[in-house]
Amino acid sequence: MKTIAEISITPNRTILNGDTISTANVAGLYREFVGDYPKFFKMDSLCKLGFIGAELLLKGISAEEKENAAIIMFNRNGSLITDRNYQKTITDDNYFPSPALFVYTLANIVTGEIAIRNKIYGESSFYVLNNPDVALMNDIINNAYLTSSPTFILTGWVDFDDEQNYEAKLKLVTK
């Protein structure tokens, strides 16, 4: 596989293709580099993290190239932070489940948000692994090329524990 572009986002810095581009948090990155997608503020934390990483990686890629791309992401926690927040809304004394939170109780929603925003119609999947098993991740990514012919794959690790513990290591790859 050939890497076209890569990004690393942590609470301390964002590195795009080897260059530090910001020290802002996820919302700050959105304001600094995107700013035109009001739905961003309705997303859960995992979606925001994956979304901003994808936006920065996909800048400059044509709509035609995006159309047949694939999205394959991985993490360790699924949507656990949002699941916990949703659980609170159904166990409180004033029982009122939050539909706004429920929408994000599946990890694959992040791939869906990216696909919708960028009109990506290829494969979209999200795998939950115990750790970033590079060999397994590469097998899964390579299998996508066996079953379809994406122009490129947006892939990598995107995990959000809390505001001080999150990481996105995403890249665009081709065969």
Side-chain angles (χ1 to χ4, degrees):
M1 283 182 293
K2 178 184 172 193
T3 299
I4 301 169
E6 57 190 345
I7 191 164
S8 171
I9 303 172
T10 65
N12 301 322
R13 74 179 55 97
T14 298
I15 301 169
L16 179 62
N17 297 321
D19 297 322
T20 298
I21 61 167
S22 183
T23 57
N25 66 11
V26 176
L29 289 170
Y30 170 80
R31 288 183 183 98
E32 188 175 348
F33 295 103
V34 182
D36 68 344
Y37 197 63
K39 192 176 175 186
F40 176 84
F41 291 103
K42 294 179 182 178
M43 294 178 190
D44 77 336
S45 300
L46 179 65
C47 282
K48 288 177 182 176
L49 179 60
F51 178 87
I52 195 67
E55 286 297 292
L56 291 169
L57 281 176
L58 294 170
K59 268 189 193 246
I61 307 262
S62 73
E64 293 78 26
E65 289 177 285
K66 290 179 192 177
E67 242 179 50
N68 195 37
I71 305 169
I72 303 173
M73 294 191 174
F74 308 87
N75 82 2
R76 148 184 339 101
N77 293 307
S79 59
L80 190 57
I81 188 169
T82 303
D83 297 342
R84 287 181 179 144
N85 290 334
Y86 180 71
Q87 181 66 34
K88 289 177 190 172
T89 70
I90 62 176
T91 57
D92 287 343
D93 291 337
N94 297 323
Y95 175 82
F96 186 77
S98 170
L101 288 174
F102 179 75
V103 169
Y104 292 96
T105 56
L106 296 172
N108 67 337
I109 298 300
V110 67
T111 61
E113 291 284 0
I114 293 166
I116 291 167
R117 161 72 167 188
N118 291 282
K119 296 181 174 77
I120 294 173
Y121 304 120
E123 176 181 339
S124 174
S125 54
F126 200 109
Y127 296 86
V128 179
L129 307 174
N130 287 332
N131 54 49
D133 183 334
V134 175
L136 177 58
M137 292 164 63
N138 284 338
D139 283 346
I140 292 168
I141 295 163
N142 283 321
N143 281 336
Y145 282 109
L146 296 175
T147 58
S148 62
S149 300
T151 49
F152 63 86
I153 298 175
L154 167 61
T155 188
W157 189 265
V158 57
D159 209 6
F160 197 99
D161 291 328
D162 57 44
E163 293 296 328
Q164 290 76 40
N165 299 293
Y166 59 83
E167 176 182 48
K169 288 192 182 271
L170 302 174
K171 59 187 175 180
L172 302 179
V173 298
T174 60
K175 190 168 183 180

